[in-house]
mmCIF file of all heavy atoms in Angstrom:
data_model
loop_
_atom_site.group_PDB
_atom_site.id
_atom_site.type_symbol
_atom_site.label_atom_id
_atom_site.label_comp_id
_atom_site.label_asym_id
_atom_site.label_seq_id
_atom_site.Cartn_x
_atom_site.Cartn_y
_atom_site.Cartn_z
ATOM 1 N N ARG A 247 30.150 80.071 206.901
ATOM 2 C CA ARG A 247 28.898 79.567 206.312
ATOM 3 C C ARG A 247 28.005 78.981 207.398
ATOM 4 O O ARG A 247 26.789 79.112 207.348
ATOM 5 C CB ARG A 247 29.192 78.492 205.253
ATOM 6 C CG ARG A 247 29.954 78.967 204.047
ATOM 7 C CD ARG A 247 29.126 79.460 202.895
ATOM 8 N NE ARG A 247 27.979 78.695 202.542
ATOM 9 C CZ ARG A 247 27.909 77.774 201.592
ATOM 10 N NH1 ARG A 247 28.985 77.479 200.901
ATOM 11 N NH2 ARG A 247 26.787 77.162 201.331
ATOM 12 N N GLY A 248 28.630 78.288 208.353
ATOM 13 C CA GLY A 248 27.936 77.846 209.547
ATOM 14 C C GLY A 248 27.056 76.629 209.449
ATOM 15 O O GLY A 248 26.627 76.112 210.470
ATOM 16 N N GLY A 249 26.769 76.138 208.280
ATOM 17 C CA GLY A 249 25.873 74.999 208.148
ATOM 18 C C GLY A 249 26.581 73.666 208.296
ATOM 19 O O GLY A 249 27.807 73.579 208.272
ATOM 20 N N ARG A 250 25.783 72.642 208.454
ATOM 21 C CA ARG A 250 26.317 71.291 208.648
ATOM 22 C C ARG A 250 27.142 70.821 207.453
ATOM 23 O O ARG A 250 28.226 70.275 207.615
ATOM 24 C CB ARG A 250 25.155 70.327 208.912
ATOM 25 C CG ARG A 250 25.565 68.917 209.236
ATOM 26 C CD ARG A 250 24.363 68.089 209.644
ATOM 27 N NE ARG A 250 23.284 68.172 208.681
ATOM 28 C CZ ARG A 250 23.062 67.274 207.723
ATOM 29 N NH1 ARG A 250 23.818 66.212 207.635
ATOM 30 N NH2 ARG A 250 22.073 67.414 206.892
ATOM 31 N N GLU A 251 26.661 71.027 206.254
ATOM 32 C CA GLU A 251 27.347 70.516 205.069
ATOM 33 C C GLU A 251 28.694 71.197 204.806
ATOM 34 O O GLU A 251 29.664 70.511 204.497
ATOM 35 C CB GLU A 251 26.436 70.561 203.843
ATOM 36 C CG GLU A 251 25.326 69.514 203.905
ATOM 37 C CD GLU A 251 25.832 68.115 204.255
ATOM 38 O OE1 GLU A 251 26.816 67.641 203.638
ATOM 39 O OE2 GLU A 251 25.247 67.492 205.162
ATOM 40 N N PRO A 252 28.801 72.532 204.906
ATOM 41 C CA PRO A 252 30.131 73.132 204.737
ATOM 42 C C PRO A 252 31.131 72.642 205.790
ATOM 43 O O PRO A 252 32.306 72.414 205.477
ATOM 44 C CB PRO A 252 29.886 74.636 204.887
ATOM 45 C CG PRO A 252 28.447 74.826 204.579
ATOM 46 C CD PRO A 252 27.766 73.564 205.011
ATOM 47 N N LEU A 253 30.663 72.443 207.006
ATOM 48 C CA LEU A 253 31.555 71.950 208.064
ATOM 49 C C LEU A 253 31.981 70.514 207.786
ATOM 50 O O LEU A 253 33.164 70.176 207.897
ATOM 51 C CB LEU A 253 30.879 72.072 209.425
ATOM 52 C CG LEU A 253 30.694 73.517 209.907
ATOM 53 C CD1 LEU A 253 29.694 73.578 211.041
ATOM 54 C CD2 LEU A 253 32.020 74.135 210.299
ATOM 55 N N ARG A 254 31.032 69.672 207.407
ATOM 56 C CA ARG A 254 31.394 68.288 207.070
ATOM 57 C C ARG A 254 32.372 68.259 205.898
ATOM 58 O O ARG A 254 33.325 67.489 205.892
ATOM 59 C CB ARG A 254 30.138 67.482 206.733
ATOM 60 C CG ARG A 254 29.311 67.140 207.970
ATOM 61 C CD ARG A 254 28.066 66.418 207.599
ATOM 62 N NE ARG A 254 28.421 65.237 206.802
ATOM 63 C CZ ARG A 254 27.675 64.168 206.667
ATOM 64 N NH1 ARG A 254 26.509 64.111 207.268
ATOM 65 N NH2 ARG A 254 28.055 63.162 205.940
ATOM 66 N N ALA A 255 32.153 69.121 204.908
ATOM 67 C CA ALA A 255 33.029 69.157 203.737
ATOM 68 C C ALA A 255 34.454 69.550 204.128
ATOM 69 O O ALA A 255 35.414 68.920 203.678
ATOM 70 C CB ALA A 255 32.474 70.122 202.689
ATOM 71 N N VAL A 256 34.597 70.571 204.957
ATOM 72 C CA VAL A 256 35.950 71.001 205.331
ATOM 73 C C VAL A 256 36.621 69.950 206.210
ATOM 74 O O VAL A 256 37.826 69.738 206.118
ATOM 75 C CB VAL A 256 35.961 72.402 205.988
ATOM 76 C CG1 VAL A 256 35.532 72.369 207.447
ATOM 77 C CG2 VAL A 256 37.347 73.035 205.857
ATOM 78 N N PHE A 257 35.850 69.267 207.043
ATOM 79 C CA PHE A 257 36.448 68.216 207.879
ATOM 80 C C PHE A 257 36.932 67.054 207.011
ATOM 81 O O PHE A 257 37.993 66.487 207.258
ATOM 82 C CB PHE A 257 35.466 67.730 208.942
ATOM 83 C CG PHE A 257 35.149 68.760 209.991
ATOM 84 C CD1 PHE A 257 33.942 68.721 210.669
ATOM 85 C CD2 PHE A 257 36.041 69.773 210.317
ATOM 86 C CE1 PHE A 257 33.646 69.662 211.650
ATOM 87 C CE2 PHE A 257 35.750 70.722 211.278
ATOM 88 C CZ PHE A 257 34.545 70.670 211.945
ATOM 89 N N ARG A 258 36.174 66.705 205.972
ATOM 90 C CA ARG A 258 36.621 65.649 205.053
ATOM 91 C C ARG A 258 37.819 66.110 204.225
ATOM 92 O O ARG A 258 38.782 65.374 204.038
ATOM 93 C CB ARG A 258 35.474 65.227 204.121
ATOM 94 C CG ARG A 258 34.461 64.311 204.756
ATOM 95 C CD ARG A 258 33.498 63.736 203.715
ATOM 96 N NE ARG A 258 32.821 64.748 202.939
ATOM 97 C CZ ARG A 258 31.627 65.264 203.231
ATOM 98 N NH1 ARG A 258 30.971 64.848 204.281
ATOM 99 N NH2 ARG A 258 31.090 66.171 202.460
ATOM 100 N N PHE A 259 37.752 67.325 203.724
ATOM 101 C CA PHE A 259 38.795 67.875 202.851
ATOM 102 C C PHE A 259 40.151 67.973 203.558
ATOM 103 O O PHE A 259 41.184 67.657 202.971
ATOM 104 C CB PHE A 259 38.359 69.261 202.355
ATOM 105 C CG PHE A 259 39.432 70.027 201.644
ATOM 106 C CD1 PHE A 259 39.789 69.700 200.340
ATOM 107 C CD2 PHE A 259 40.094 71.070 202.273
ATOM 108 C CE1 PHE A 259 40.776 70.416 199.680
ATOM 109 C CE2 PHE A 259 41.091 71.785 201.618
ATOM 110 C CZ PHE A 259 41.432 71.458 200.324
ATOM 111 N N THR A 260 40.151 68.395 204.800
ATOM 112 C CA THR A 260 41.418 68.640 205.496
ATOM 113 C C THR A 260 42.043 67.382 206.088
ATOM 114 O O THR A 260 43.235 67.403 206.424
ATOM 115 C CB THR A 260 41.241 69.689 206.613
ATOM 116 O OG1 THR A 260 40.230 69.250 207.527
ATOM 117 C CG2 THR A 260 40.875 71.054 206.029
ATOM 118 N N LEU A 261 41.309 66.298 206.207
ATOM 119 C CA LEU A 261 41.854 65.076 206.822
ATOM 120 C C LEU A 261 43.172 64.603 206.196
ATOM 121 O O LEU A 261 44.127 64.349 206.928
ATOM 122 C CB LEU A 261 40.826 63.947 206.796
ATOM 123 C CG LEU A 261 39.775 63.977 207.892
ATOM 124 C CD1 LEU A 261 38.765 62.851 207.683
ATOM 125 C CD2 LEU A 261 40.392 63.900 209.270
#
Side-chain angles (χ1 to χ4, degrees):
R247 296 270 317 264
R250 185 173 52 97
E251 288 311 311
L253 291 164
R254 286 177 55 157
V256 79
F257 292 153
R258 282 190 304 267
F259 170 76
T260 57
L261 279 176

